[in-house]
């Protein structure tokens, strides 16, 4: 699925979440007040609330399940001088959905006297503040989904990790021998030596990237230990060699992607 389509999908789920929360507050819950006995209406209301809370994120996770089977490959930079790891929009989509749920939940409501209708609470500045926070959360959700995400680039010189507010570059010869430790689905820890000689670590949030974490860790270790192969980084032939070597290793060991 192209990144633009991933973002559209995440936006649709996020907006649906906001609409579901608002409809539940202003339409569904008032209808349940008429149900007798009260305990039945209350129980149904709780079930509807659970569905509104869990439904969109669970459905989104199911719809994007194919995207979470991250490939053991890289993209090629247009100039042929780097391997580029594509970003994954799925984590940011989930964040956007949760922020939209928070936006809808911030709306203060009250029962209209002598009716079964609901309206925005008449609390003056408190109501205005709640609306402002709700709008802010909704805008932040869209920003999270649509702004360019992090990037990970491998060049003959080293590895570059870029986030919206920071950037970190490490040369291959800065990495400590032995390569990265066992990788999880969430983080890859790169150990390197600082200018003062002390060992330090850089945690790469691999869940933000569309790549098999084990494949990435294996490649980083390979280039850390084999300087003679670094010159091929960014070329189709080198990428094909990495992919075939990793596939052979997985077939021999029975290892599965992280």
């Amino acid at each position: 699925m192209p990144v633009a389509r991933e973002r559209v999908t995440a936006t649709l789920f996020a907006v649906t979440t906001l609409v579901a929360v608002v409809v539940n507050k202003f339409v569904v819950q008032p209808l349940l007040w008429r149900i007798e006995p009260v305990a039945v209406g209350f129980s149904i209301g709780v079930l509807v609330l659970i569905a509104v809370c869990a439904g969109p994120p669970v459905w989104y996770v199911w719809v994007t399940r194919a995207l979470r089977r991250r490939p053991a490959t890289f993209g090629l930079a247009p100039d042929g001088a780097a391997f580029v790891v594509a970003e994954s929009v799925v984590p940011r989509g989930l964040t956007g959905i949760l922020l939209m749920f928070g936006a809808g939940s911030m709306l203060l409501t009250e029962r209209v006297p002598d009716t079964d209708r609901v309206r925005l609470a008449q609390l003056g500045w408190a109501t205005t503040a709640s609306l402002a926070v709700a709008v802010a959360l909704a805008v932040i959700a869209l920003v999270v989904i649509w702004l360019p995400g992090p990037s990970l680039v491998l060049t003959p010189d080293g590895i570059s990790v870029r986030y919206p507010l920071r950037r970190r570059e490490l040369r291959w010869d800065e990495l400590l021998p032995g390569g990265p430790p066992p990788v999880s689905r969430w983080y890859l820890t790169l150990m390197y030596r600082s200018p003062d000689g002390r060992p330090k670590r850089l945690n790469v949030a691999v869940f933000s990237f569309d790549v098999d974490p084990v494949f990435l860790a294996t490649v980083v270790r390979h280039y850390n230990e084999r300087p003679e192969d670094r010159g091929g980084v960014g070329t189709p032939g080198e990428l094909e060699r990495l992919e075939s070597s990793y596939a052979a290793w997985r077939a021999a060991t029975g290892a599965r992607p992280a």
Side-chain angles (χ1 to χ4, degrees), residues 118-140:
V118 167
R119 67 186 180 191
L120 283 175
Q122 307 298 300
L123 298 176
W125 67 267
T127 299
T128 302
S130 71
L131 282 171
V133 173
V135 171
L137 288 175
V139 171
I140 293 172

Side-chain angles (χ1 to χ4, degrees), residues 108-196:
L108 300 178
T109 61
E110 65 181 13
R111 187 169 185 169
V112 178
D114 302 321
T115 71
D116 287 334
R117 293 186 293 109
V118 167
R119 67 186 180 191
L120 283 175
Q122 307 298 300
L123 298 176
W125 67 267
T127 299
T128 302
S130 71
L131 282 171
V133 173
V135 171
L137 288 175
V139 171
I140 293 172
L142 295 177
V143 168
V144 167
I145 293 172
W146 282 96
L147 275 187
S151 65
L152 181 62
V153 179
L154 280 65
T155 70
D157 297 322
I159 182 169
S160 174
V161 187
R162 303 169 189 172
Y163 295 102
L165 299 179
R166 62 189 176 94
R167 174 177 175 174
R168 188 69 175 89
E169 295 184 354
L170 291 174
R171 298 192 313 273
W172 296 118
D173 55 13
E174 285 184 289
L175 298 176
L176 295 179
V183 67
S184 71
R185 288 179 177 268
W186 305 99
Y187 289 98
L188 168 66
T189 301
L190 301 177
M191 301 299 298
Y192 66 97
R193 195 171 301 281
S194 62
D196 60 9

Side-chain angles (χ1 to χ4, degrees), residues 37-256:
V38 174
V40 174
F42 176 79
S43 299
I44 296 174
V46 171
L47 292 176
V48 172
L49 181 59
I50 292 174
V52 170
C53 294
V58 170
W59 188 17
Y60 178 72
V61 169
W62 184 83
V63 167
T64 59
R65 63 194 184 283
L67 299 177
R68 288 179 284 109
R69 302 188 189 101
R70 295 175 287 183
T73 189
F74 302 130
L76 298 175
D79 60 4
F83 291 139
V84 179
V85 181
E87 65 167 309
S88 173
V89 179
V90 174
R92 294 199 286 150
L94 283 172
T95 301
I97 290 171
L98 294 177
L99 286 170
M100 284 294 194
F101 178 82
S105 300
M106 286 303 302
L107 297 176
L108 300 178
T109 61
E110 65 181 13
R111 187 169 185 169
V112 178
D114 302 321
T115 71
D116 287 334
R117 293 186 293 109
V118 167
R119 67 186 180 191
L120 283 175
Q122 307 298 300
L123 298 176
W125 67 267
T127 299
T128 302
S130 71
L131 282 171
V133 173
V135 171
L137 288 175
V139 171
I140 293 172
L142 295 177
V143 168
V144 167
I145 293 172
W146 282 96
L147 275 187
S151 65
L152 181 62
V153 179
L154 280 65
T155 70
D157 297 322
I159 182 169
S160 174
V161 187
R162 303 169 189 172
Y163 295 102
L165 299 179
R166 62 189 176 94
R167 174 177 175 174
R168 188 69 175 89
E169 295 184 354
L170 291 174
R171 298 192 313 273
W172 296 118
D173 55 13
E174 285 184 289
L175 298 176
L176 295 179
V183 67
S184 71
R185 288 179 177 268
W186 305 99
Y187 289 98
L188 168 66
T189 301
L190 301 177
M191 301 299 298
Y192 66 97
R193 195 171 301 281
S194 62
D196 60 9
R198 291 184 299 174
K200 300 186 72 174
R201 68 176 59 197
L202 173 65
N203 289 322
V204 180
V206 289
F207 63 84
S208 298
F209 300 103
D210 189 25
V211 65
D212 177 354
V214 176
F215 175 71
L216 176 62
T218 302
V219 171
V220 170
R221 180 165 186 167
H222 175 80
Y223 289 132
N224 178 220
E225 297 177 344
R226 299 289 183 86
E228 65 274 13
D229 291 338
R230 297 172 189 168
V233 173
T235 63
E238 177 68 3
L239 179 59
E240 184 178 352
R241 186 188 68 79
L242 292 174
E243 292 172 343
S244 60
S245 296
Y246 183 68
W249 173 78
R250 282 182 53 190
T253 62
R256 296 182 178 181

Side-chain angles (χ1 to χ4, degrees), residues 22-54:
V22 172
V23 170
N24 180 54
K25 278 191 170 190
F26 287 89
V27 179
V28 177
Q29 294 302 321
L31 291 176
L32 298 177
W33 294 340
R34 305 172 187 175
I35 296 179
E36 296 291 344
V38 174
V40 174
F42 176 79
S43 299
I44 296 174
V46 171
L47 292 176
V48 172
L49 181 59
I50 292 174
V52 170
C53 294

